[in-house]
Amino acid sequence: MTSHEIDYRIYGEEMQFVEIELDPNEGVVAEAGSFMMMDEGIKMETVFGDGSQKDSGFFGKILGAGKRILTGESLFMTAFYNDLTGKRNVSFASPYPGKIIPIDLTEFNGKFICQKDAFLCAAKGVSVGIEFSKKLGRGLFGGEGFIMQKLEGDGMAFVHAGGTMAKKVLQAGEVMKVDTGCLVGFTQGVDYDIEFVGGIKNTIFGGEGLFFARLQGPGTVYIQSLPFSRLAGRVLASAPRSGGKDRGEGSILGGLGDLLDGDNRF
């Protein structure tokens, strides 16, 4: 498998986007809905399946589409090609506040495993597949279920993490424990399992869930500080209730509290 060699630049701090520079006949595939902008002369094509091969036959396309259904993604991906002479740029934006992580698959022996909604875009030729969990406990309680995304090839791929990203390089036998929702991805040498928190008080009143993700090296692990599920939960908790009153900063004091905290809506 030979992926296209692309150059890139990441802009921004918290709401980032990645700009891909395409030489003539180079291409990039992206998750549907991540496109931001592109130069004149770039051809856009909707691809049925994972987009790793342009002509893989009918059954190959059905298989690729089936993989994407299992990971909860759209049936289609979008490919962008530079059909003209000279360099052309195309950009893709992160879906919510966080960081875009460049993954050079050649540094990770051609394979990287990530959570199902982390993939943003990749060089043409990178395969976006599925990784089944072989451990029952991990599949039932690991947050991501039995299926994670698998990026394979020898090109560049880009994944998105919420909040601030931490990169941890684990030595052989080294173990770390992570909140299951904070795990972004890891290299194929990492052993991933789940571990019960333990303790009655921790289980009932801890508020951190019942299980940790247990990661054992050797390999590299990427961790996010703000999973989208956590962000969405906070937004939902502060949304207006059925009675029409939201849970604002001054909600205990009613209208007077709204005036004190600067919320002067009438």
Side-chain angles (χ1 to χ4, degrees):
M1 181 183 298
T2 302
S3 302
H4 292 187
E5 296 183 6
I6 59 174
D7 298 315
Y8 71 93
R9 184 175 178 182
I10 296 175
Y11 294 87
E13 295 297 331
E14 303 304 329
M15 291 296 294
Q16 294 185 327
F17 71 92
V18 57
E19 181 183 78
I20 308 294
E21 183 182 83
L22 299 178
D23 292 330
N25 300 317
E26 284 186 345
V28 60
V29 293
E31 197 63 66
S34 63
F35 168 73
M36 179 180 172
M37 60 182 176
M38 65 182 178
D39 291 341
E40 180 72 20
I42 290 182
K43 176 184 177 183
M44 184 175 68
E45 178 183 355
T46 300
V47 180
F48 185 66
D50 70 355
S52 60
Q53 298 179 8
K54 186 168 183 177
D55 294 311
S56 56
F58 176 76
F59 290 105
K61 292 179 179 180
I62 292 295
L63 179 60
K67 292 178 181 179
R68 294 182 55 75
I69 291 176
L70 288 174
T71 56
E73 304 292 351
S74 167
L75 283 174
F76 300 91
M77 295 183 73
T78 308
F80 298 83
Y81 302 95
N82 180 6
D83 284 342
L84 301 179
T85 58
K87 298 179 183 293
R88 298 290 187 274
N89 295 322
V90 57
S91 300
F92 306 96
S94 56
Y96 54 92
K99 301 294 182 182
I100 295 175
I101 308 169
I103 303 292
D104 187 350
L105 292 173
T106 59
E107 296 181 359
F108 300 136
N109 296 320
K111 181 178 178 181
F112 184 80
I113 301 166
C114 60
Q115 62 178 341
K116 290 182 288 187
D117 58 351
F119 174 71
L120 187 67
C121 61
K124 190 72 172 67
V126 171
S127 173
V128 184
I130 56 176
E131 179 78 6
F132 285 101
S133 172
K134 298 178 182 178
K135 298 181 180 179
L136 180 61
R138 168 182 159 186
L140 293 177
F141 307 113
E144 292 299 324
F146 287 97
I147 302 170
M148 298 183 76
Q149 277 190 330
K150 175 176 60 177
L151 308 178
E152 291 183 298
D154 55 5
M156 291 295 305
F158 300 87
V159 298
H160 180 260
T164 300
M165 186 275 297
K167 177 182 178 180
K168 300 293 184 180
V169 179
L170 302 180
Q171 303 303 316
E174 184 179 358
V175 174
M176 72 178 304
K177 299 176 183 179
V178 181
D179 181 275
T180 55
C182 291
L183 182 62
V184 177
F186 50 89
T187 56
Q188 56 182 319
V190 174
D191 180 57
Y192 169 44
D193 203 350
I194 58 99
E195 181 177 301
F196 183 59
V197 170
I200 296 177
K201 288 192 296 183
N202 290 336
T203 302
I204 299 177
F205 305 111
E208 298 295 340
L210 300 181
F211 299 91
F212 294 124
R214 184 181 185 275
L215 302 149
Q216 180 173 337
T220 303
V221 180
Y222 290 90
I223 304 159
Q224 60 187 349
S225 66
L226 183 61
F228 181 72
S229 58
R230 186 178 297 177
L231 174 63
R234 291 299 181 92
V235 172
L236 183 61
S238 300
R241 300 296 190 265
S242 57
K245 176 63 181 174
D246 63 351
R247 203 183 86 178
E249 295 293 335
S251 58
I252 297 178
L253 300 177
L256 177 59
D258 289 339
L259 291 174
L260 293 176
D261 72 1
D263 187 353
N264 299 315
R265 292 170 296 175
F266 295 98

